[in-house]
Amino acid sequence: VIFGDAGKAFEYGAKGGITFVLGDLIDRPLVNAVGSATAVINGSCKDYMGESCMAARGLIILNGIKLNDDGTIVTQETPYPGGNLFPLAAASTVYLRDPWRTVSEDQLNGGEIRQLSDGDWERIFPLLKENEGLFGIRVEDLLKVDGIPRKPEEVYRKVVPIEVAALARYEV
């Protein structure tokens, strides 16, 4: 549990466990992560999140928020301002709290944006509840947009790696 920001290459090569971060990340978090590496980041990430990620049983939740001094949530302009989200990833999932759809396909490099499903919500809800217990960031507040309660699929989006066709075999 990190009660602040984390620097470059956060969880580089992580193999498992769950990390909760109250603040922002610089860049290149969860590069080459494998296994069940999981992170809940309440702030944003500048660039190269999940580069070459292979954490098939892991996931990343990026909430893109800040907290005011009174504990109220302020949504950042975008949860991910960079141009290389999930580059060359082979496995894992990134869940973005992005109610205004600020992250676009052209920011991805080997991933695609999909609609959040009921199964996805069931997967991330327990982590968001644990995040609530650690930092006091209520799930019901994360689901509010401009003070109005919304459905999870209206607030969160899912990014998954695209399947890459196998390279053609070179024969002499």
Side-chain angles (χ1 to χ4, degrees):
V1 177
I2 299 171
F3 287 88
D5 298 331
K8 288 181 166 275
F10 162 78
E11 288 204 347
Y12 181 95
K15 294 182 170 132
I18 303 171
T19 305
F20 293 86
V21 180
L22 181 59
D24 295 319
L25 303 179
I26 303 298
D27 60 19
R28 287 196 153 80
L30 291 119
V31 170
N32 296 327
V34 297
S36 61
T38 297
V40 178
I41 299 131
N42 287 293
S44 68
C45 175
K46 302 296 181 227
D47 209 359
Y48 287 96
M49 174 177 270
E51 184 176 11
S52 300
C53 189
M54 298 169 282
R57 295 178 318 279
L59 62 92
I60 304 166
I61 300 172
L62 188 62
N63 282 326
I65 64 166
K66 293 225 180 256
L67 296 179
N68 281 331
D69 290 338
D70 64 0
T72 57
I73 291 175
V74 176
T75 300
Q76 295 188 31
E77 188 174 321
T78 180
Y80 190 83
N84 289 289
L85 177 59
F86 230 29
L88 306 172
S92 197
T93 306
V94 176
Y95 293 98
L96 300 170
R97 183 183 180 278
D98 190 17
W100 290 288
R101 307 306 195 238
T102 61
V103 175
S104 65
E105 294 278 347
D106 65 342
Q107 290 175 273
L108 308 181
N109 186 352
E112 66 181 0
I113 298 171
R114 293 192 183 159
Q115 179 72 26
L116 191 77
S117 70
D118 291 340
D120 292 317
W121 183 245
E122 290 170 10
R123 187 175 185 206
I124 67 172
F125 179 75
L127 292 165
L128 293 173
K129 285 302 283 182
E130 189 170 350
N131 187 64
E132 180 178 316
L134 292 167
F135 301 122
I137 300 168
R138 299 181 329 162
V139 176
E140 66 184 66
D141 291 337
L142 287 170
L143 293 175
K144 287 182 182 173
V145 179
D146 291 330
I148 300 168
R150 300 287 183 188
K151 295 177 183 176
E153 62 272 16
E154 294 175 310
V155 178
Y156 283 89
R157 302 167 80 199
K158 173 181 177 176
V159 179
V160 296
I162 57 172
E163 290 192 29
V164 179
L167 295 174
R169 185 174 153 173
Y170 180 80
E171 292 186 37
V172 181

